Amino acid sequence: MTRWLRLTLLGVGAMNSPRFAPAGLLLRHARRRVAFDGGPGALPPPGRLDAWLVTDERSELRSALRRHAAERNVPVRAGDVDLGGLRVRCRPVVHTSHPAYGYRIEAEGLLAVWAPEFLEFPAWAAGADLMFAEAAAWNRPIRFRGGVGGHATVQAVAEEAARHGVRRLVYAHIGRPVLRAIDAGERPPSGEWGVDGRTYALRLPPQAS
């Protein structure tokens, strides 16, 4: 029987996007389900969740996420998860003045990465079979006041992903500068725009008989 690690984008928008729901992801592996980030309009479908993980515990959406998660009897948090053959590892990213994170999703020799916000490409994403990445800025980085972080450009993310051996790159935190570029017909140097509701599947190795 063919088995898959399935990752469905719940939303692909940066904060206050005029077009997309907030960036979010639903992971399915065997009978396990883990949600990442999301928010209003980008919530995991009904059903049990084993964990709901976030990349920023101080984000503007934290209250809404906690409310929705409480309805599902699961806490919202940043951290690691071990669920049998599925390992989710919380890793730091350079993004803002307080701690922020991305996630390594490891299953039976496969590696997926959820890192929707960063100013510097995370070296721990090297060798990913699939990476969901930052796309808030197009050709100029967005820098926060006081030099405390920001968002990398799509061009920089594409270059660094190639340098770090990422096999498939999906942009999953699309900001207004990138929306303008998309509307002008621009394409990233490599990788693809994430699609709200699309499932990205990685084929797991066959089980030993």
Side-chain angles (χ1 to χ4, degrees):
M1 179 183 296
T2 303
R3 301 178 307 125
W4 303 90
L5 176 67
R6 301 183 188 277
L7 302 116
T8 301
L9 284 172
L10 303 174
V12 296
M15 180 58 63
N16 299 320
S17 171
R19 192 173 304 177
F20 300 123
L25 186 72
L26 177 67
L27 160 67
R28 288 172 290 161
H29 174 262
R31 296 183 180 181
R32 303 298 193 178
R33 290 164 35 114
V34 178
F36 299 83
D37 293 318
L43 298 173
R48 181 180 59 84
L49 288 175
D50 294 286
W52 197 330
L53 304 174
V54 292
T55 52
D56 185 348
E57 292 182 299
R58 302 189 199 176
S59 77
E60 295 92 335
L61 295 173
R62 62 186 180 278
S63 296
L65 284 176
R66 287 171 182 162
R67 184 174 64 254
H68 288 294
E71 296 170 357
R72 309 287 289 271
N73 296 312
V74 61
V76 167
R77 64 183 181 89
D80 297 343
V81 171
D82 285 285
L83 298 167
L86 176 67
R87 288 164 34 101
V88 180
R89 292 292 174 263
C90 183
R91 294 290 181 263
V93 295
V94 176
H95 173 52
T96 187
S97 59
H98 58 263
Y101 309 96
Y103 290 90
R104 286 175 57 94
I105 301 163
E106 305 167 10
E108 302 179 48
L110 294 176
L111 173 61
V113 167
W114 176 249
E117 296 188 85
F118 54 79
L119 178 62
E120 298 178 10
F121 189 92
W124 52 257
D129 297 287
L130 171 64
M131 181 180 184
F132 298 98
E134 169 76 84
W138 179 243
N139 55 8
R140 288 186 297 179
I142 297 171
R143 297 189 181 276
F144 298 154
R145 290 180 182 175
V148 294
H151 300 274
T153 66
V154 165
Q155 282 84 351
V157 173
E159 291 172 5
E160 288 298 308
R163 192 168 71 85
H164 284 83
V166 173
R167 293 177 178 83
R168 184 177 184 184
L169 176 64
V170 177
Y171 300 100
H173 184 257
I174 299 172
R176 291 172 186 264
V178 176
L179 287 177
R180 291 192 289 269
I182 291 172
D183 291 343
E186 299 282 0
R187 294 288 305 166
S190 62
E192 62 197 88
W193 306 126
V195 177
D196 186 355
R198 177 172 291 177
T199 295
Y200 302 78
L202 294 174
R203 187 172 183 171
L204 295 164
Q207 291 179 311
S209 56

